[in-house]
């Protein structure tokens, strides 16, 4: 008999893995010999997706494997479907971390990721018959994971709870002991992360919780064997599941436990390695840089202080200098509701010693503030690490800012708003601490792997340097005016659209025509991302078609992908409305190919790799000032989609790079949004004055899309027309529709459209994560590449 596809997949993975292992050892040896400074990227999320193709591309084994498999009568594309996505993240922040470890390895930097090995990653999304979202657990570890290596010798004890006792040591110093704690063990699994440079292989280290035999010792001692063993399993819940909320925090014990579990295992590991290689902890910041991916790992600041003070008996001043020089913090939001805070009472119960240390940090900090501002300044309670209004809470963002030497935003506009609004007082108090590093994406996965035909065409025209030096793409600029090149580019786009059409058919049953304009909005469902603005436009278009069916419309397929957090009622309602609108529009015989609407269920990294290359139009329509950066916008533009977007996040920089003629900008600016909110936003007036809009809202509110339950979507409309509606959806409607009409006009001229599409690919070289990582390396980490001998 023949081997099954899974067995072949396993065999191929193993052979690729063996090649990675050899390079991995060489890389570690080279770092050791160089005594290199190392970077650790701490993130509760790494959305890496599949590894097989990525590894083969980065070690240049792809062509060979494709040939060998062909000889065996099978195809790489078939085999790699057997690999489950590693969905260890929610969205942009997690995917950014995955792009960053690819770039660190490609640049030859000693850079390592740390995260949690969740048994269950991001939930799998399904759609019920009524159009609503359902969730299923993602048990991605069902089959042996080919891309991890369990490191039996790497494991640490993690404490929780208990109490703090003090004692005097021999020299009369007061010392602190954290005792009577619950203990859990953290076990290490390494995922090798190859760079695209012929030699470097770093790793991502994932921690898994394992019951410790010390756990529930009292039960054993009492002879309650069964109780002891069954209770043990509870402690393993710490690494059970990724929290699927990406904007408001659940405030659960278990989430704080996850954060601390992850942080202390990583720090113990980092310090072990450092001490073995360099010994003297005073030199820590010279040899170690730790990046905090948002506030999620910020308890690391208190944990490093605890280790330096309580274990290594350093003085406060010395420990604090080392801590601040070691950490840097990346902020990924401006939404106040997304800034993490934890009740003091929870900290006291789970991490009593850390709470003491945070109080002490805050005490020193507030003294400095009083010195500078005077004791009664209102900035003091505002900047305090402890929030005193209502239930007392630890403000993790404030702790992260105070305990880091650099704080960065993720796009120019975001970093500017951070300095002017979110952290205004901090920026004045710490001049020079705040900076920008604009996000990027790895061109290996987001061009070469996902769009092999385009990659081959580019390489044929300009050589392969673009792979690791993306601004080289600018050499394509002059080709945009060549008709033959435009035809080649257009042909590839069409092939990619056919591939996507097949995926849509498979996942939704809907047939879409690859000759229509593919209009794509893929990202988490959120009010601030305004998928509902897109839906309003779809309904408006539907109305136009119904009124004037013989008019020469530009046929469109509007494609959505994304998940709603299970507890986010409004986001779930948006999904349901979208699916209901799709049902009506797709089955109306008057409409035909003029308009189709689909939600591709369970949007994730793997479907994204099919969607990005197939888009004509990229929807980036957030309320200005609310999307920190966006990274899907970059992937789509690099693959030759034109953006329709607001001046928000990295869209601003995309517009700068490609030029105003090659992007469709609409809507209010961040300043205008702020002004409108200040004066009191009254959307009901807007709806009253715009007939097209009123018609759309009436259809939704009156149950046109939910005949069996006509009030279903009334709350959504009520929100949109309500005073001070926070996302100003209706305010941008007219300008959005106008921009969409400009899109149509442009798309009618296919040659001109393709020219612009090519310019988007050519001019987005800035948005490589290699450039982002080089910025971090130069301006924040102060690390240099160390290249092992090539294999
Ligand atoms: C916080 C506390 C408790 C539980 C969960 C969370 C949580 C988890 C994930 C909060 C936020 C997130 C994810 C945020 C995120 O993905 N932000 C996005 O980051 C991208 C990379 O910088 C940006 O491009 C996006 O603009 C930003 O929305």
């Amino acid at each position: 008999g023949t081997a099954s596809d899974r067995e072949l997949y396993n065999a191929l993975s193993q052979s690729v893995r063996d090649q990675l292992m050899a390079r991995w050892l060489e890389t570690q040896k080279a770092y050791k010999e160089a005594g290199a400074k190392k970077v650790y990227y701490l993130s509760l999320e790494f959305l890496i997706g599949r590894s097989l193709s990525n590894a083969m591309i980065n070690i240049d084994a792809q062509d060979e494997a494709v040939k060998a498999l062909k000889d065996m009568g099978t195809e790489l594309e078939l085999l790699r479907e057997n690999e489950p996505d590693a969905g260890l993240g929610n969205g942009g922040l997690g995917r950014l971390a995955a792009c960053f470890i690819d770039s660190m390895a490609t640049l030859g930097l000693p850079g390592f990721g740390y995260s949690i090995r969740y048994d269950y990653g991001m939930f799998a999304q399904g759609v019920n018959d009524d159009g609503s979202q359902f969730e299923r657990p993602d048990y991605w570890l069902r089959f042996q994971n080919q891309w991890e290596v369990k490191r039996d010798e790497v494991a640490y004890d993690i404490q929780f709870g208990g109490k703090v006792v003090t004692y005097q040591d021999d020299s009369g110093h007061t010392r602190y002991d954290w005792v009577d704690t619950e203990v859990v063990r953290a076990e290490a699994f390494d995922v090798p992360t190859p760079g695209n440079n012929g030699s470097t292989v770093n790793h991502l280290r994932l921690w898994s919780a394992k019951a410790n035999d010390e756990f529930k010792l009292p039960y054993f001692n009492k002879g309650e064997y069964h109780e002891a063993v069954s209770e043990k399993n509870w402690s393993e819940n710490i690494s059970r599941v990724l929290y699927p909320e990406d904007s408001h925090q659940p405030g659960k014990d278990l989430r704080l436990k996850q954060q601390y579990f992850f942080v202390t295992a990583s720090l113990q590991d980092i310090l072990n390695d450092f001490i073995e290689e360099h010994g003297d902890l005073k030199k820590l910041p010279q040899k170690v840089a730790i990046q905090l991916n948002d506030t999620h790992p910020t308890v690391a600041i208190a944990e490093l202080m605890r280790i330096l003070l309580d274990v290594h008996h350093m003085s406060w001043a010395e420990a604090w200098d080392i801590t601040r020089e070691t950490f840097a913090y990346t902020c990924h939001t401006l939404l106040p509701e997304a800034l993490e805070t934890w009740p003091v009472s929870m900290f006291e119960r789970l991490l009593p010693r850390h709470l003491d240390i945070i109080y002490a940090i805050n005490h020193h900090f507030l003294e400095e503030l009083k010195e500078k501002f005077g004791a009664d300044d209102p900035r003091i309670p505002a900047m305090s690490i402890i929030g005193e209004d209502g239930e007392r809470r630890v403000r993790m963002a404030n702790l992260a800012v105070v305990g880091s030497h650099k704080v960065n935003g993720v796009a120019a506009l975001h970093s500017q708003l951070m300095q002017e609004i979110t952290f205004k007082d901090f920026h004045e108090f710490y001049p020079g601490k705040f900076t920008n590093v604009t996000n990027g994406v790895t061109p290996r996965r987001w061009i070469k792997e996902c769009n092999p035909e385009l990659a081959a065409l580019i390489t044929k025209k300009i050589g392969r340097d673009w792979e690791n030096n993306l601004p080289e793409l600018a050499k394509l600029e002059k080709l945009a005016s060549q008709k033959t090149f435009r035809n080649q580019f257009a042909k590839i786009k069409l092939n990619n659209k056919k591939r996507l059409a097949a995926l849509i058919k498979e996942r939704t049953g809907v047939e879409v025509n690859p000759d229509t304009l593919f209009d794509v909005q893929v990202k988490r469902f959120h009010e601030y991302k305004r998928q509902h603005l897109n839906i309003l436009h779809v309904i408006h278009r539907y109305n136009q078609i119904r009124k004037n069916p013989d008019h020469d419309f530009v046929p469109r397929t509007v494609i959505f992908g994304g998940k709603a957090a299970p507890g986010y009622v409004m986001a779930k309602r948006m999904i349901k409305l979208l699916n209901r609108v799709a049902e009506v529009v797709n089955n109306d015989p008057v409409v035909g190919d003029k308009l189709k609407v689909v939600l591709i269920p369970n949007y994730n990294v793997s479907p994204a790799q099919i969607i990005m290359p197939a888009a004509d139009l990229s929807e980036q329509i957030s309320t200005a000032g609310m999307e920190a950066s966006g990274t899907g916008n970059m992937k789509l533009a690099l693959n030759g989609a034109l953006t329709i977007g607001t001046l928000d996040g990295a869209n601003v920089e995309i517009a700068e790079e490609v030029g105003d003629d090659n992007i469709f900008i609409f809507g209010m600016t961040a300043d205008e949004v702020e002004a409108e909110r200040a004066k009191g936003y009254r959307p009901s007036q807007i709806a009253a004055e715009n007939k097209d809009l009123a018609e759309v809202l009436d259809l939704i509110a009156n149950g046109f899309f939910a005949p069996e339950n006509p009030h279903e979507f009334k709350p959504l409309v009520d929100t949109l027309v309500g005073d001070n509606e926070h996302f100003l959806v209706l305010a941008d409607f007219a300008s959005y529709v106008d921009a969409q009409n400009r899109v149509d006009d442009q798309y009618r001229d296919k040659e001109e459209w393709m020219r612009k599409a090519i310019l988007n690919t050519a001019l987005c070289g800035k948005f490589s994560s290699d450039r982002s990582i080089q910025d971090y390396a130069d301006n924040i980490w102060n690390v240099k590449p160390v290249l092992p001998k090539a294999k």
Side-chain angles (χ1 to χ4, degrees), residues 585-601:
V585 170
N586 296 345
N587 294 303
D588 189 332
V590 167
V591 176
D593 274 356
K594 293 192 184 79
L595 187 59
K596 285 276 177 286
V597 188
V598 292
L599 170 76
I600 300 174

Side-chain angles (χ1 to χ4, degrees), residues 676 680-690 693 697 717-726 728-731:
E676 186 69 20
Y681 168 55
R682 296 287 172 269
S684 53
Q685 274 174 26
I686 298 174
E689 287 161 17
N690 183 330
L693 176 57
L697 293 173
V717 174
D718 288 344
T719 302
L720 294 183
V721 299
D723 282 353
N724 300 315
E725 189 269 324
H726 196 58
L728 290 89
V729 177
L730 302 192

Side-chain angles (χ1 to χ4, degrees), residues 20-21 23-24 27 31 46 48 51 54-55 58-59 97-114 147 190-197 199-206:
L20 293 183
M21 291 303 159
R23 293 183 186 209
W24 190 18
T27 305
Y31 293 161
F46 274 86
I48 51 189
S51 290
N54 182 248
N58 281 3
I59 64 173
C99 286
F100 279 3
I101 51 176
D102 184 274
S103 286
M104 289 193 286
T106 296
L107 293 177
L109 293 175
F112 306 89
Y114 274 106
W147 302 101
D190 286 351
V191 180
T193 58
N196 188 44
N197 66 359
S199 58
T200 303
V201 176
N202 293 333
H203 59 262
L204 163 61
R205 185 158 282 179
L206 302 175

Side-chain angles (χ1 to χ4, degrees), residues 45 90-93 96 243 245-247 249-250 255 296 332 340 410 439 528-529 627-631:
E45 308 192 5
N90 273 282
L93 167 150
L96 185 76
Y243 277 91
E245 276 76 32
D246 69 339
S247 64
Q249 55 155 340
R255 170 77 181 181
H296 315 155
H332 295 264
E340 276 187 298
V410 289
N439 282 168
Y528 85 79
K529 294 179 188 283
E627 186 71 272
S629 163
T631 46

Side-chain angles (χ1 to χ4, degrees), residues 291-317:
Q291 192 67 32
L292 303 172
N293 199 23
D294 217 288
T295 53
H296 315 155
T298 292
V299 68
I301 289 168
E303 173 66 359
L304 181 57
M305 286 298 286
R306 186 188 70 83
I307 295 172
L308 297 179
L309 294 170
D310 296 358
V311 181
H312 297 280
H313 295 175
M314 257 183 207
S315 72
W316 179 274

Side-chain angles (χ1 to χ4, degrees), residues 515-530:
D515 290 324
T516 60
L517 185 163
F518 275 18
D519 171 350
V520 169
Q521 186 171 20
V522 284
K523 48 185 81 256
R524 287 297 288 267
F525 271 78
H526 259 291
E527 289 165 279
Y528 85 79
K529 294 179 188 283
R530 300 199 298 190

